[in-house]
Amino acid sequence: MVSIQIVLFDGFDLLDAIAPYEVFHAASMNVKDNLSVEFVTAEGPRSVKSGVNDVLLEAEEKLDPTRPGIILVPGAAGAVDGEGPDSIPAILGRAMNTELTRMVEHALHQKDMVIAGVCGGSLLLAMGGLLEGRHGVTHHLGMDALAATGVTTVQARVVDDGNFVSSGGVTSGLDLALYLVERELGPRIAHAVEQLFEFERRGTVWRDVGLVPRHGTAKAEDDENSTTNKVGHTDSAMLNQSRIASIFEGEWATEIMTPIGKLDVALSISTDKETIRGKATQGEETVQFIHPVIQGNKMTWSLPITKPLRLNLKFEVSVDGDKMIGTAKAGVLPASKLIGKRIL
């Protein structure tokens, strides 16, 4: 018996969940007593509002992360732009902060378990820190954000990374479900469902096997892992940049207004004639700035965070006296406003 648990959460995308459900249900009609499919939630049986006009679906059971089979996580439907509570990042963030993340993490360590992400479902799991170092795909608008969580992104319709399989945009849920039917039950059953639906899968399922295609010689880039950066080059430029850099020096208390809540972050910045260094402290976690750069009267750097979700943020700030203002951004997710004041 192959068990399929499709996870619902408030604001889920209707087609992300319904399309795979239809495929798996059609497959079950061809393999009597060999496949079951049901809607579940992290909380248990309940009515769940989708993000598409609040359409309700009934979840029959509580997600069981120990049951061998497939757990499928859909994405969210909401505003693509903006930082309000109905934006996709906010919906995904709320779902990530439920027991769902812990349950899926437990499932990933179980034998005979496959986790599948449709569209933003991959991003939801990645934001919870579950997919760092894995290969995956999500909706094209979220690919930069997915990469910012430490996922190796692949431009493919469906990506198979062993016990984690993901697909791109909303309609790719059909392709993912058909591929999983073929993988678990064989090509004849998958073909029968394709014929019933009059639908053919698109593209090649990407897997990390076989020969590696040749690429052109990559252009050398700056070392993104450097925690220090040159402030200037010529003597006059160095003097000018050193003066500018000095305005960023000190201890800063900052607030970052993210779509899922306010972050209090302490920044410590120091410079000398040739280099600039910084570190950020949030709670008990302290991390070094990555590739800090002074550009005119602005300072930029990257920073990996793990709370309230796992992301690599890119910062851009300017300073006016003892006040700091700027943004923190991950991929195409909305930029979050940063404000701060010098405390030392």
Side-chain angles (χ1 to χ4, degrees):
M1 168 71 75
V2 178
S3 169
I4 315 290
Q5 300 180 82
I6 298 178
V7 181
L8 303 181
F9 54 86
D10 295 318
F12 73 94
D13 186 277
L14 196 59
L15 191 58
D16 283 3
I18 288 291
Y21 184 93
E22 289 270 9
V23 169
F24 292 129
H25 178 69
S28 71
M29 294 189 296
N30 288 279
V31 286
K32 185 178 180 180
D33 298 329
N34 282 327
L35 186 148
S36 67
V37 56
E38 61 184 346
F39 293 121
V40 301
T41 74
E43 301 79 24
R46 68 181 180 94
S47 298
V48 188
K49 286 184 179 181
S50 80
V52 183
N53 293 329
D54 293 335
V55 173
L56 288 173
L57 285 186
E58 292 294 326
E60 305 157 57
E61 299 288 344
K62 184 174 183 177
L63 172 63
D64 183 355
T66 67
R67 187 196 307 169
I70 297 170
I71 295 174
L72 185 143
V73 182
V80 176
D81 300 318
E83 303 178 18
D86 295 326
S87 68
I88 289 177
I91 295 170
L92 293 177
R94 287 195 295 271
M96 180 209 68
N97 284 319
T98 67
E99 282 294 296
L100 176 58
T101 298
R102 182 189 62 80
M103 289 176 163
V104 174
E105 181 177 23
H106 182 74
L108 278 168
H109 294 92
Q110 301 298 306
K111 184 180 179 181
D112 300 326
M113 183 72 78
V114 175
I115 308 302
V118 178
C119 196
S122 305
L123 190 54
L124 190 163
L125 299 176
M127 288 162 63
L130 304 184
L131 303 179
E132 189 169 0
R134 305 295 295 265
H135 295 90
V137 64
T138 188
H139 190 284
H140 69 273
L141 291 177
M143 289 291 273
D144 287 345
L146 188 65
T149 67
V151 174
T152 300
T153 56
V154 181
Q155 295 284 353
R157 185 78 168 169
V158 176
V159 174
D160 182 339
D161 192 45
N163 67 342
F164 172 64
V165 182
S166 56
S167 63
V170 179
T171 59
S172 67
L174 287 167
D175 301 82
L176 179 141
L178 281 165
Y179 172 68
L180 289 173
V181 167
E182 178 183 358
R183 198 174 101 159
E184 300 298 320
L185 301 173
R188 292 180 180 179
I189 301 301
H191 181 252
V193 177
E194 283 185 341
Q195 286 187 311
L196 177 64
F197 284 16
E198 295 188 351
F199 176 84
E200 294 181 356
R201 282 184 285 155
R202 291 166 48 189
T204 299
V205 174
W206 187 94
R207 294 186 296 148
D208 191 18
V209 297
L211 299 176
V212 178
R214 295 182 60 186
H215 298 287
T217 303
K219 182 179 179 180
E221 299 179 350
D222 292 337
D223 180 11
E224 291 292 331
N225 293 319
S226 173
T227 57
T228 64
N229 194 74
K230 296 293 182 180
V231 176
H233 301 287
T234 66
D235 290 342
S236 59
M238 184 179 297
L239 179 60
N240 184 48
Q241 285 291 77
S242 295
R243 290 170 178 168
I244 295 173
S246 66
I247 70 173
F248 293 94
E249 291 183 334
E251 306 294 321
W252 298 85
T254 71
E255 296 179 351
I256 305 173
M257 317 303 180
T258 77
I260 58 174
K262 182 183 73 173
L263 298 181
D264 294 312
V265 182
L267 304 180
S268 178
I269 302 172
S270 62
T271 66
D272 57 34
K273 290 184 178 181
E274 296 186 356
T275 60
I276 181 168
R277 296 179 176 85
K279 60 183 179 180
T281 301
Q282 181 196 0
E284 298 180 354
E285 181 181 35
T286 298
V287 291
Q288 300 293 322
F289 288 8
I290 298 174
H291 198 55
V293 177
I294 300 293
Q295 297 174 318
N297 64 346
K298 292 184 178 181
M299 179 176 174
T300 63
W301 70 89
S302 296
L303 194 71
I305 66 168
T306 59
K307 295 178 181 180
L309 48 90
R310 188 178 297 270
L311 285 175
N312 292 325
L313 296 176
K314 292 186 177 180
F315 289 78
E316 180 177 302
V317 302
S318 59
V319 168
D320 182 7
D322 290 330
K323 295 182 179 180
M324 177 181 288
I325 189 169
T327 58
K329 197 172 189 305
V332 296
L333 293 178
S336 297
K337 183 179 179 181
L338 178 149
I339 58 173
K341 60 181 180 180
R342 196 191 321 259
I343 57 176
L344 188 64

